[in-house]
Amino acid sequence: GSRSRGWRAAPRAALASPSRKRETNCVTTRLLLLVEDDALVRTTLADGFGDAGFEVLVAEDAERGLLLLARRPDIDALLTDINLPGADGFSLAHSARLLRPGLPIVYTSGRLRLADPDRAVPGAPFLPKPFTIAHACSLLECTMGRRG
């Protein structure tokens, strides 16, 4: 969320170099919806996932994320921060699953060390911040591979 202090991204040059890109290229033309309220984190992640082969749509809150999800049936996965202004990531994930029952979802947070299992949607793993794009891609691919 907005208090994800200590976020450390790899230098842009490291993400963009051809040898590094081959190592972290986890998908080919998959559409990821990224919901993150912290502008710097959102931009850094969008750039990193883009370099790793994702097409990325971004939203700064759950309401905008849900609008994008409703308008874009081609979204392949949702990565959402839990701590968002207004509706939180848990609410977003539940609403997203009502619209798209098989949608792969990954939760993330810099405040929490794990997602509350009583609030999380089934099959949605948790990724604590900070994380590497390579690790996030691996988790997303695993989650996308589980859908029916």
Side-chain angles (χ1 to χ4, degrees):
S2 58
R3 293 188 186 178
S4 44
R5 308 242 187 278
W7 176 262
R8 292 186 192 115
R12 176 102 175 125
L15 289 173
S17 72
S19 62
R20 176 78 175 169
K21 187 171 182 180
R22 277 195 297 273
E23 292 172 13
T24 61
N25 192 347
C26 55
V27 294
T28 306
T29 321
R30 297 272 183 106
L31 184 56
L32 174 66
L33 175 56
L34 170 65
V35 183
E36 167 62 57
D37 62 313
D38 184 296
L40 179 60
V41 174
R42 187 173 57 245
T43 301
T44 302
L45 290 176
D47 287 348
F49 285 119
D51 288 344
F54 279 97
E55 181 181 348
V56 181
L57 293 175
V58 298
E60 63 272 10
D61 59 35
E63 291 77 12
R64 286 179 180 86
L66 202 55
L67 278 173
L68 282 170
L69 193 60
R71 293 178 181 162
R72 296 291 304 263
D74 56 335
I75 292 172
D76 293 302
L78 167 63
L79 176 71
T80 183
D81 190 15
I82 291 173
N83 304 101
L84 297 168
D88 65 14
F90 292 119
S91 297
L92 170 60
H94 283 281
S95 296
R97 285 275 177 88
L98 288 175
L99 280 175
R100 303 262 307 278
L103 182 70
I105 297 171
V106 174
Y107 292 109
T108 188
S109 178
R111 294 185 203 172
L112 305 174
R113 290 297 99 198
L114 56 104
D116 181 347
D118 294 329
R119 298 193 62 210
V121 296
F126 176 77
L127 184 63
K129 293 177 188 172
F131 54 81
T132 65
I133 294 296
H135 183 227
C137 285
S138 175
L139 188 59
L140 281 163
E141 278 295 303
C142 179
T143 304
M144 287 187 282
R146 283 199 304 250
R147 74 174 160 181

